[in-house]
Each structure stands twice: as structure tokens, then as C-alpha cells.
Amino acid sequence: MTKPTILILHGWGCDKAVYAGLTAHLSATHTVILPELPGFGETPEPPDAWGVSDYADCVAELGVNPDVLLAHSLGCRIALKLLSDGRLNPRKIIFTGAAGIKPKRTLSQRVRTRVFKLKKLITPKLSPEKAEALRQKYGSADYRAASPLMRQCLVKIVNEDLTNLLAKVPQDTLLIWGENDDSTPLSDGQLMEKLLPNAGLAVMKNAGHYAFLEQPALFLKIIDSYLGDVK
């Protein structure tokens, strides 16, 4: 009997190894497809600064029509593009630590951003060492770790608000959230649950953005229960 297919879209800064435990478990009952997106893992960087739509086009070119879509963080942004325009039409969806809602910045974050942008204006006049020190001081952890090109991608991606696409995703969707997620806060998951037409939210206590790594047994139990009728 042919196994149902599950497509996994990974998060920013991740590769296949991050999801090894998850894929090993799912492989017993599903055919798992986990592409490493351009700029991550063993895949070369994109030719220029890609945004969410570019990454969505890249995934669409794979020609995969999965029974189940599982997406984490950045992968959820890409998924929303593909689901809302019908290029992906799985029977069930799992989002964990889903990105896509543009965060409301605190006053201190807004001030920090403005200072960073102001100092960027003088960056060309600085030595490469001082310019990099500026980026290390004011950039996020993801930004600091990225190459110059991937930094441009990150800026384009995080500044796109995809909230308006949620209502265009009719499929049954399970949201799994770590209550202590400091990358995509639980409030994002609660908003997604309200805006997605057919969504339920499972909150994992004492877990963060990588709930599937922090509490793998519970995470797998949740998805096994949800996917029980996908055969």
C-alpha cells in the first residue's frame, strides 16, 4: 500500500538534520519530503535577495502535491503563499512556531531599529571590521549569523505581513506552539487560530520555538493523533 506523502518546510537557519527525529518517526507511516531551501543546509544561496514569494515559487517548482503539509517558522510563511493561491492543497496542515504575522515592536525595539538604520547610513565610510561590529551589535541573532546576501533575504521576509492570507486557507490545520516561544510568540498562534477557517491550537508547556526538539515525545504524540486518519 502506498504511504501518504508529507512535505516538511523548514525554518530559517535550519537544515535536514534539525528535523531528523521528526522525519525518522514520520517515515514509518508516510513518505517524507524535506527539501533544503536555497541558502540553507547543502543548498547554495539564491542568486539574489529572495523574499517569501521567491521561496514559494522554488517549492512550487518541486511539483509535490502532499497529503500533509508540516511547516515550521519560515516554512509557514512559504506555506501560506502556496496554500492561499491553491498551488498546494494538502488534506491536513501542521504549523509549529509559525511565522507570518508581522510583530508589533516595543518602543525600545523601534528606537534600536532607528539607531541601526541611522548608523547604516555611515557604514560605507567605516572599515569592514567596524561595519561588521555595528551589524553584530544591533542585528538579531539570525541576522548576525547570516551571510550578507541572506541578511538581505531575511529583511525582506520578516517585513512582509501575511496575516491577510490566513482566511484563504480552508484546510484543517493544527497549530502546535511552545508557550515560551520568543521568536513567534503564543499570541501569534492564538491570532492564527482565530483567522484560519478550520484551525485548532495545541499549546506545549515549558517549550519554545523548537518544541519538536525540546519535547519530542509529546510533539510526536500530538501529530500522531492528528494524522491518524490520513492513510
Side-chain angles (χ1 to χ4, degrees), residues 75-144:
C76 299
R77 291 181 182 273
I78 298 167
L80 285 174
K81 289 277 188 175
L82 296 168
L83 292 164
S84 62
D85 64 18
R87 284 185 286 173
L88 279 183
N89 187 26
R91 292 161 59 188
K92 285 193 172 184
I93 300 166
I94 301 170
F95 281 175
T96 183
I101 296 174
K102 191 172 182 179
K104 294 180 179 179
R105 299 185 181 277
T106 64
L107 176 60
S108 62
Q109 289 172 327
R110 293 198 299 271
V111 170
R112 185 181 179 88
T113 298
R114 287 175 183 175
V115 170
F116 182 42
K117 288 181 177 179
L118 177 61
K119 291 193 174 186
K120 278 179 66 177
L121 295 176
I122 64 172
T123 297
K125 300 177 183 179
L126 300 176
S127 68
E129 294 78 13
K130 289 185 177 180
E132 181 59 23
L134 176 63
R135 287 187 283 267
Q136 291 293 329
K137 180 176 181 179
Y138 288 96
S140 67
D142 284 337
Y143 186 86
R144 293 194 301 270

Side-chain angles (χ1 to χ4, degrees), residues 4-89:
T5 302
I6 181 166
L7 172 64
I8 300 178
L9 298 179
H10 65 73
W12 181 272
C14 297
D15 58 16
K16 290 183 178 180
V18 174
Y19 305 89
L22 184 58
T23 55
H25 177 83
L26 289 169
S27 293
T29 52
H30 295 75
T31 297
V32 179
I33 301 171
L34 173 50
E36 288 183 330
L37 301 171
F40 305 98
E42 299 298 319
T43 307
E45 293 183 353
D48 49 35
W50 278 14
V52 182
S53 293
D54 300 299
Y55 276 103
D57 291 342
C58 179
V59 172
E61 289 175 3
L62 297 174
V64 177
N65 186 27
D67 296 287
V68 179
L69 174 63
L70 192 161
H72 171 229
S73 195
L74 165 66
C76 299
R77 291 181 182 273
I78 298 167
L80 285 174
K81 289 277 188 175
L82 296 168
L83 292 164
S84 62
D85 64 18
R87 284 185 286 173
L88 279 183
N89 187 26

Side-chain angles (χ1 to χ4, degrees), residues 215-226:
Q215 298 183 32
L218 177 57
F219 190 93
L220 294 175
K221 184 177 181 180
I222 292 171
I223 64 173
D224 283 349
S225 176
Y226 177 64

Side-chain angles (χ1 to χ4, degrees), residues 200-228:
L201 175 64
V203 179
M204 294 179 58
K205 293 186 176 299
N206 303 312
H209 193 56
Y210 293 85
F212 57 91
L213 294 178
E214 298 167 54
Q215 298 183 32
L218 177 57
F219 190 93
L220 294 175
K221 184 177 181 180
I222 292 171
I223 64 173
D224 283 349
S225 176
Y226 177 64
L227 298 178

